[in-house]
Amino acid sequence: MRFIPRSPEEGINVSKEHPLVEAGTLIVGIGLIFAVIAVTLIFLVEIAIYFIPAEKEVALFEDWMPTDIVVVAEGDERSQAVDAILKRLSRHYPDSPYTFRIAIDDSEFMNAMALPGGLIVLTAGLLDAVKTENELAFIIGHELGHFKNRDHMRALGRGVVLGILFVAISGSGAGSNYGASIADLALRGFSRSQEASADEFGLGIVHKEFNHVAASWRFFERIDEYDGDFLKLMSYLSTHPSPDNRVDALIMLAGKNGWSITGELTPVGW
Ligand SMILES: [Zn+2]
């Protein structure tokens, strides 16, 4: 039998798929691979947190202060006042492995943050808007709740993972800057359930301190009605639940736990 060579059919090197569909499949595929890597790494971070006891975290971050925070001058009257409130509140969380400390960031933006090692950062803009110790106690108590659940470490891990992936995707240089800001955002934002859990812990601390939770959410009502420079509010709103839903949820929490919502308020001393 003789072999008779035939010329191949036209177009065997051209895919039957439209090139745009092929490009789309490739992009979606790569995206999926990165998403799977991100989810896996974030899961590993969750596991790692069990192996980094809070005591080790405290030792690692004992004197740490993020470089973008400008701490107000020593002896500032607000520092002394918030330190005193923090001391009173942390008595109600006696099994904490942290020695909490507060730094006041001299920024006009309003924000409160829980950072590794037991550091709570409150901005001067937030303290300007706070009128009573009851409100301040809830704001600080809420951050204590993030430490209790170690949300700040989860967020730190998530931020590192996202930062690394972003640099991997975009290459070095400009990418690493974006990576850093994404890491920063992830570090400072918590999920809705983390926020709700921190709110419950915080309100419980307020109840233990004052024997009522009256007006501890007044700060959120005030910023909800705020008609000043919206930018000052932005950083707070980007990292915390929206004020109106939050007040409703807090009032419900008080009802559920039988915490009184009337009582004497103590104005802040500055
Ligand atoms: Zn929070």
Side-chain angles (χ1 to χ4, degrees):
M1 194 177 153
R2 259 186 74 208
F3 175 69
I4 307 164
R6 270 191 305 159
S7 57
E9 282 173 41
E10 277 291 310
I12 55 160
N13 285 325
V14 178
S15 160
K16 289 189 180 66
E17 293 284 4
H18 190 280
L20 277 179
V21 174
E22 285 204 319
T25 314
L26 188 68
I27 290 168
V28 169
I30 290 174
L32 273 178
I33 290 170
F34 273 107
V36 168
I37 294 174
V39 169
T40 312
L41 287 178
I42 289 167
F43 179 67
L44 289 178
V45 166
E46 290 281 322
I47 296 171
I49 287 166
Y50 288 98
F51 294 98
I52 307 172
E55 288 75 11
K56 188 150 255 161
E57 177 202 326
V58 170
L60 274 172
F61 289 98
E62 204 170 22
D63 301 312
W64 177 68
M65 185 66 67
T67 47
D68 58 340
I69 286 169
V70 182
V71 181
V72 295
E74 214 170 300
D76 186 292
E77 58 174 350
R78 292 167 300 183
S79 298
Q80 291 164 3
V82 294
D83 280 345
I85 293 174
L86 174 68
K87 274 214 178 68
R88 276 156 49 197
L89 298 178
S90 42
R91 283 202 321 250
H92 306 302
Y93 178 18
D95 55 343
S96 164
Y98 299 96
T99 305
F100 296 109
R101 58 197 172 108
I102 289 191
I104 300 176
D105 181 11
D106 200 0
S107 153
E108 57 176 357
F109 294 107
M110 296 178 197
N111 218 342
M113 286 168 270
L115 296 173
L119 173 64
I120 297 170
V121 173
L122 301 177
T123 59
L126 177 125
L127 293 177
D128 285 345
V130 164
K131 300 280 186 243
T132 64
E133 287 193 358
N134 309 68
E135 294 168 13
L136 186 59
F138 178 69
I139 291 166
I140 296 173
H142 170 93
E143 300 306 325
L144 296 179
H146 282 311
F147 287 107
K148 169 126 178 91
N149 299 326
R150 299 195 78 203
D151 296 331
H152 60 295
M153 288 302 279
R154 282 196 181 89
L156 179 69
R158 207 171 57 208
V160 170
V161 167
L162 291 179
I164 291 170
L165 277 182
F166 202 86
V167 173
I169 294 169
S170 62
S172 55
S176 56
N177 284 334
Y178 284 117
S181 38
I182 284 182
D184 198 49
L185 271 181
L187 175 58
R188 286 164 192 202
F190 297 125
S191 76
R192 200 180 270 254
S193 67
Q194 286 174 319
E195 287 298 329
S197 166
D199 267 2
E200 180 149 22
F201 185 82
L203 203 63
I205 292 260
V206 171
H207 169 73
K208 284 180 187 144
E209 174 64 22
F210 299 103
N211 217 17
H212 66 77
V213 297
S216 51
W217 46 76
R218 182 70 190 102
F219 171 76
F220 308 113
E221 293 171 333
R222 201 175 303 119
I223 63 170
D224 203 28
E225 297 153 8
Y226 183 76
D227 58 1
D229 181 356
F230 188 68
L231 267 182
K232 288 188 186 176
L233 258 178
M234 269 303 286
S235 60
Y236 190 84
L237 295 179
S238 68
T239 51
H240 292 88
S242 90
D244 47 346
N245 302 340
R246 195 175 185 185
V247 170
D248 292 345
L250 288 171
I251 292 171
M252 270 172 55
L253 259 181
K256 189 184 91 181
N257 290 286
W259 296 330
S260 170
I261 60 167
T262 54
E264 207 177 314
L265 307 182
T266 318
V268 288
W270 57 82

